[in-house]
Amino acid sequence: MADPRIVIVGAGPAGIRAAGALVAAGLRPILLDEGQRDGGQIYRRQPEGFTRTPEQLYGTEAARAVALHESFERLKPQIAYHPRHLVWNVADGVVHTISEGKPGQFAYDALIIAAGATDRLLPVKGWQHAGVYSLGGAQIALKAQACAIGRRVVFLGTGPLLQLVALQYHKAGAGVVALLDTSPFRRQVMALPKLAARPGMLVKGLRLVGGLMASGMAIHRGVTPVEIHGEAEAGVTGVSVRLASGRIRRFDCDAVGLGYHLRPEAQLADLARCAFTFDPKTRQYWPEIDAEGRSSVPGVYLAGDGVRTQGADGAEISGALAACAVLADLGRAVPEAERAALRARARIMERFREGIAEAYPWPAHLAADLPDEAILCRCEGITVGEVREAATGKGADEVNRAKALTRVGMGRCQGRYCGHAGAEIVAAASGVPLEAVGRLRGQAPVKPLAISAGESQP
Amino acid sequence: MTEPQRSDVLIIGGGIMGASAAFFLRQRGKSVTLIERGLIGQQASGTNFGNVRRQGRYLPQLPLANRSRAIWGRLNEMLGEDAEFLPSGHLRLAYSEEMAGRIEQYGRDARPYGLELQMLSGNVLRDRFPFLGPEIRAGSYSPLDGHANPRLAAPAFGRAAKRAGAVIVERTEVLSVEQEGGSFRALTADGRVFRAEQMLITAGAWGSRLSQQFGEPAPLVVHGPQMAVTEPVPYALEPVLGIATTIPEEIIYLRQVKRGNIVFGGGIRGPASAETLRAYVKPENTLGQLAQITRIVPALRRLNVIRVWSGIESYLPDDIPIMGPSARVSGLHYAFGFCGHGFQLGPGVGDVMAELIATGQTSTPIEPFTIARFASKATNQTGGHE
């Protein structure tokens, strides 16, 4: 029997560890990645010619980043690695890519999707102004190009990335005006027992908070975002929030980094027809997986932050576990001792993930309370009020119906950035539980597909 | 068990046919109940291309299409909602001399039905529509055709019907239909019973499941249209564009909405299932469309597709719908199986069916669409495609 065709999507920590485990078992997987270089987002490698040290780039995670990059260099000759390949669709056992403007196909017997995460965003009045970036975008600008999103930056939202990016900007010499966190400090204290599942990571987190305190930037927790101020030409001019004390305060700035932790990039899993399930703790639908990353579709495996937001260490473990599942399902020998150890570590990662979700909760009430005039869907320019009107006046008590009637989530991001808030608004306006308003159905292409791609077909 | 719900007319299936029939039946004073398994306009009525096109249709269907076009023109006023109908013109294009000859012949044949088409070619065509590609030889322009938003039209009819007094029952599946003691009876999955003097089945891809309970099965098959939309760009393509061709891979049609996005479809149809309620766009079909769309408008090569979608459309072997009274049961009517070209007809079908149900006759000829044709032997006709 010919060797099975195993396709891995994503060359971040999960994809690389999955590839490594498969190579160790004597297989030669195909690794497809959208990026120029391996490493994914968290361990993104700087472009050729840039000379920052791993410590400058990855801080406390430098050793892990270097280890992963070195593993990848050793793996490279033993895998079919295709960088700059965007997977835009998957259907009938074939992954469809675009590379250098040309379409390509990769048939698979097993598919490991390790597509990573994007920022979980919550609209705020004025977030459509130029100069508002997601936290991930703000971090990539710094990591990849050594650029800051502004000279006087406010970071607004919640989650570990909010604090990390704020401190990275400060250390890089960018002016950080304020860190405004919607999560009150007591939530972080309450989550300590679960966060203690990873004592080393907890210590790193405490040091991060210590670094922020020492930085001199204004830090406010338990805030309620009111508005991002701006002008059509000049873009962002300031941010107003209601502080925990109840007082409204404005911070002048020229850029905002916005984000409320991360959400899985689950579009490919959706196109592969994987079943989704509602997670009441984080208030979102995500793909169903078993303890090793098997989806509901035989032959399709999900790993890394693209399915559960455990962070880089969890991604490495879940990638290796997904490879174990592939080997087991193909009837190949599985390193059982390692598999058992990985499963034990995965449980710790999952407990820590829950702790982070509790420490920095998705502020659902802020979405439900958004003013009518706030833009909800930036791609299509749809306001919160239009969606509310569809929900209350036109019976759109389900998100795909609201999408059909208002175009919310129909634009080029396909609801990545407004979908969760849109669901909260539909649920609150129609008095239906969030779970019952459903989730936006994913459609190809995962990212915009150039029409010119049609010219280079066989 | 609760008392059955009663009305003059019971409509099963809330696509654009059923929703508009409900609206027009209320205009004629009939009490109406419409039962829909999902939401109004959610299946083929909401996922199609949105063509409000008459040219190219099966000629005996033109009186119905004309009647429908007249309603489209006053739809917003009638329904009190905007379904984004844009009488932007429709341009049917040909690559070959042979197809140019065919569309020209169609123009002559359509004139007696009151459809005036302008045949354009060479510099006249190019001066008027400078965005067309060099392969285009000729075009037939229908100035009063256009396009509308399928996601809005049927729901707007449904709400207008409801405001006018129709009972709209959504998220309710009909399990069985029968005639009992001179009236009709429908039993729903939640155990309710609905009764009416007359029944109209407008259940699209699921129509035959119901008609066969009255001994009149129809040979429906389902396909998924392969739709896509680009990112928005400044509004510049006024007419709806479509290629007239005998090569299925070459079929492509496109329209630009006022917001700026360009919607397109055509080519090989995709898989759809009336059982699972899902329809898919095959990636290779999307790529095939990309190669075709730049033959019509080369400048589109600089744009990106941001989304594709499909739906569940039902087709009949002769490519024309089933519409009219049952051939077996008095008081029973059908309008389903519109073979991918029902959206333009929707308002007209509702109007004609309401007339037929309320008065027993209609001024618009619909004889070719009788379900009786499948009781004997199928005829061979050709219709449109979208």
Side-chain angles (χ1 to χ4, degrees):
Chain A
M1 188 188 129
D3 270 350
R5 300 161 302 176
I6 305 170
V7 171
I8 303 167
V9 180
I16 290 174
R17 291 303 176 207
L22 293 167
V23 166
L27 296 168
R28 185 182 172 84
I30 297 162
L31 178 56
L32 306 173
D33 188 59
E34 186 184 358
Q36 290 280 343
R37 302 188 68 187
D38 58 286
Q41 300 303 335
I42 178 104
Y43 300 140
R44 171 180 280 269
R45 302 180 80 166
Q46 59 191 337
E48 300 290 348
F50 282 59
T51 58
R52 287 165 293 173
T53 64
E55 287 69 28
Q56 286 173 311
L57 281 167
Y58 311 114
T60 60
E61 305 308 297
R64 294 204 72 104
V66 169
L68 191 78
H69 295 155
E70 286 174 351
S71 307
F72 184 75
E73 293 305 325
R74 287 192 297 275
L75 274 179
K76 226 166 161 177
Q78 304 172 76
I79 62 173
Y81 170 51
H82 300 276
R84 298 180 299 281
H85 276 61
L86 167 68
V87 176
W88 68 273
N89 207 345
V90 54
D92 305 320
V94 178
V95 160
H96 292 259
T97 59
I98 287 287
S99 180
E100 317 286 342
K102 292 186 176 60
Q105 282 89 38
F106 295 85
Y108 62 82
D109 299 303
L111 172 65
I112 300 177
I113 302 173
T118 46
D119 296 87
R120 200 175 184 194
L121 295 184
L122 183 72
V124 51
K125 189 180 171 190
W127 75 316
Q128 72 279 11
H129 288 305
V132 179
Y133 293 78
S134 72
L135 288 171
Q139 192 187 35
I140 286 167
L142 188 64
K143 227 187 267 183
Q145 299 291 334
C147 290
I149 59 171
R151 289 193 162 81
R152 293 170 298 130
V153 183
V154 166
F155 290 100
L156 172 64
T158 195
L161 195 59
L162 180 75
Q163 319 199 56
L164 179 62
V165 178
L167 191 60
Q168 285 172 337
Y169 262 62
H170 173 73
K171 284 185 175 169
V176 179
V177 174
L179 188 162
L180 306 173
D181 193 330
T182 55
S183 175
F185 185 63
R186 63 184 157 78
R187 294 298 298 250
Q188 284 118 66
V189 175
M190 283 158 65
L192 280 173
K194 281 185 177 168
L195 296 175
R198 297 177 66 192
M201 190 52 90
L202 180 56
V203 169
K204 281 180 191 170
L206 294 172
R207 286 204 185 116
L208 173 59
V209 174
L212 286 165
M213 309 280 272
S215 73
M217 71 176 76
I219 299 174
H220 296 276
R221 299 187 190 276
V223 308
T224 301
V226 175
E227 183 173 0
I228 295 176
H229 307 279
E231 294 156 8
E233 290 300 314
V236 171
T237 56
V239 174
S240 287
V241 296
R242 183 178 296 107
L243 302 177
S245 64
R247 194 162 60 89
I248 291 191
R249 178 152 168 209
R250 177 179 170 138
F251 299 86
D252 289 334
C253 61
D254 61 4
V256 179
L258 187 67
Y260 293 80
H261 203 25
L262 300 170
R263 52 172 287 285
E265 278 282 287
Q267 297 87 354
L268 281 174
D270 200 357
L271 293 175
R273 307 184 193 176
C274 298
F276 280 59
T277 181
F278 184 72
D279 177 51
K281 285 186 179 158
T282 58
R283 297 180 69 80
Q284 66 186 318
Y285 278 89
W286 57 22
E288 279 176 27
I289 45 166
D290 75 358
E292 296 185 331
R294 285 180 189 82
S295 76
S296 64
V297 176
V300 178
Y301 305 80
L302 309 173
D305 278 2
V307 60
R308 299 289 182 269
T309 315
Q310 293 177 341
D313 298 353
E316 290 191 45
I317 293 163
S318 70
L321 263 178
C324 289
V326 170
L327 293 171
D329 295 351
L330 290 170
R332 302 255 165 168
V334 182
E336 289 299 346
E338 193 187 332
R339 185 187 194 179
L342 286 167
R343 287 184 64 151
R345 288 169 63 201
R347 283 192 289 275
I348 294 171
M349 294 295 152
E350 185 58 10
R351 184 167 167 79
F352 187 79
R353 182 196 64 74
E354 288 177 8
I356 289 288
E358 288 169 18
Y360 304 104
W362 165 250
H365 61 286
L366 296 182
D369 293 345
L370 279 167
D372 278 346
E373 69 274 20
I375 297 277
L376 170 61
C377 169
R378 292 189 296 187
C379 297
E380 294 293 311
I382 310 298
T383 64
V384 170
E386 287 173 80
V387 173
R388 276 197 188 121
E389 208 280 310
T392 54
K394 295 179 177 174
D397 58 0
E398 189 270 334
V399 290
N400 291 291
R401 186 64 162 184
K403 174 180 167 182
L405 296 183
T406 67
R407 291 190 163 93
V408 67
M410 264 193 181
R412 53 187 295 145
C413 91
Q414 290 207 43
R416 271 180 181 79
Y417 300 123
C418 67
H420 287 179
E424 298 283 1
I425 289 163
V426 169
S430 48
V432 166
L434 185 67
E435 184 176 1
V437 303
R439 67 185 183 92
L440 291 171
R441 279 187 292 271
Q443 297 285 13
V446 168
K447 290 186 182 170
L449 173 67
I451 284 180
S452 57
E455 290 161 13
S456 37
Q457 289 177 74
Chain B
M1 197 163 164
T2 53
E3 276 291 292
Q5 196 262 18
R6 289 180 187 276
S7 47
D8 294 337
V9 185
L10 186 56
I11 301 176
I12 311 213
I16 192 167
M17 309 302 169
S20 63
F23 175 80
F24 288 113
L25 280 162
R26 285 304 303 143
Q27 305 275 301
R28 290 174 182 274
K30 293 283 177 187
S31 66
V32 183
T33 300
L34 186 162
I35 310 178
E36 160 56 38
R37 179 189 45 218
L39 300 172
I40 297 292
Q42 199 178 21
Q43 298 292 346
S45 299
T47 55
N48 68 82
F49 173 63
N51 226 351
V52 182
R53 167 188 66 88
R54 287 171 296 163
Q55 71 166 330
R57 282 180 187 277
Y58 173 54
L59 289 165
Q61 202 176 60
L62 284 178
L64 175 62
N66 289 341
R67 183 163 170 176
S68 200
R69 171 60 186 82
I71 300 170
W72 277 108
R74 50 192 172 87
L75 200 72
N76 292 0
E77 175 197 343
M78 212 168 61
L79 303 184
E81 287 190 41
D82 184 9
E84 296 177 10
F85 171 59
L86 210 57
S88 58
H90 181 279
L91 192 53
R92 193 163 175 242
L93 301 162
Y95 293 130
S96 67
E97 281 304 326
E98 192 212 336
M99 288 313 296
R102 282 207 213 176
I103 61 178
E104 193 167 8
Q105 180 62 44
Y106 186 89
R108 284 192 290 274
D109 295 343
R111 191 161 298 130
Y113 292 93
L115 178 59
E116 289 294 333
L117 303 174
Q118 303 163 14
M119 193 67 194
L120 306 168
S121 62
N123 289 341
V124 177
L125 178 67
R126 238 155 272 286
D127 287 351
R128 187 140 172 213
F129 304 108
F131 46 77
L132 293 175
E135 286 184 79
I136 306 285
R137 280 174 178 256
S140 166
Y141 183 66
S142 179
L144 298 180
D145 286 348
H147 55 113
N149 189 336
R151 292 179 282 103
L152 303 183
F157 264 115
R159 280 188 293 275
K162 191 176 177 181
R163 282 194 298 272
V167 177
I168 308 286
V169 186
E170 291 179 300
R171 293 180 169 129
T172 301
E173 184 171 12
V174 171
L175 293 183
S176 66
V177 284
E178 62 185 338
Q179 197 186 28
E180 192 185 72
S183 74
F184 291 89
R185 180 177 181 274
L187 174 67
T188 60
D190 57 8
R192 281 185 284 174
V193 174
F194 294 82
R195 283 182 177 278
E197 300 311 306
Q198 299 197 70
M199 179 177 279
L200 170 61
I201 293 173
T202 47
W206 301 268
S208 181
R209 286 189 192 173
L210 299 164
S211 67
Q212 72 184 7
Q213 297 180 38
F214 295 104
E216 292 179 299
L220 283 184
V221 293
V222 296
H223 298 294
Q226 308 287 280
M227 302 306 309
V229 64
T230 71
E231 62 209 316
V233 286
Y235 182 67
L237 300 179
E238 208 179 337
V240 181
L241 304 173
I243 286 291
T245 175
T246 53
I247 304 166
E249 288 82 355
E250 272 189 350
I251 298 171
I252 191 105
Y253 34 84
L254 63 110
R255 66 186 179 100
Q256 187 176 22
V257 302
K258 270 285 170 71
R259 155 146 179 88
N261 310 70
I262 292 158
V263 181
F264 63 90
I268 311 294
R269 293 176 186 130
S273 166
E275 280 69 41
T276 63
L277 305 185
R278 293 304 302 264
Y280 299 98
V281 178
K282 289 174 85 83
E284 49 272 35
N285 288 350
T286 302
L287 291 171
Q289 290 173 327
L290 301 187
Q292 294 298 331
I293 197 167
T294 48
R295 292 176 72 189
I296 310 188
V297 183
L300 295 182
R301 71 177 301 279
R302 294 201 291 270
L303 302 188
N304 291 290
V305 173
I306 59 171
R307 191 165 41 83
V308 305
W309 72 93
S310 188
I312 302 166
E313 292 183 340
S314 55
Y315 290 80
L316 287 157
D318 52 9
D319 223 16
I320 54 173
I322 287 169
M323 184 183 168
S326 159
R328 291 173 61 109
V329 180
S330 170
L332 175 64
H333 299 82
Y334 301 122
F336 62 85
F338 279 81
C339 307
H341 57 262
F343 182 64
Q344 189 277 346
L345 297 177
V349 169
D351 191 25
V352 168
M353 296 312 293
E355 183 189 13
L356 192 61
I357 289 167
T359 70
Q361 56 193 342
T362 171
S363 49
T364 302
I366 56 167
E367 291 74 19
F369 313 124
T370 173
I371 196 166
R373 72 191 194 269
F374 296 112
S376 51
K377 194 171 171 290
T379 52
N380 225 343
Q381 306 287 357
T382 53
H385 180 285
E386 77 258 354

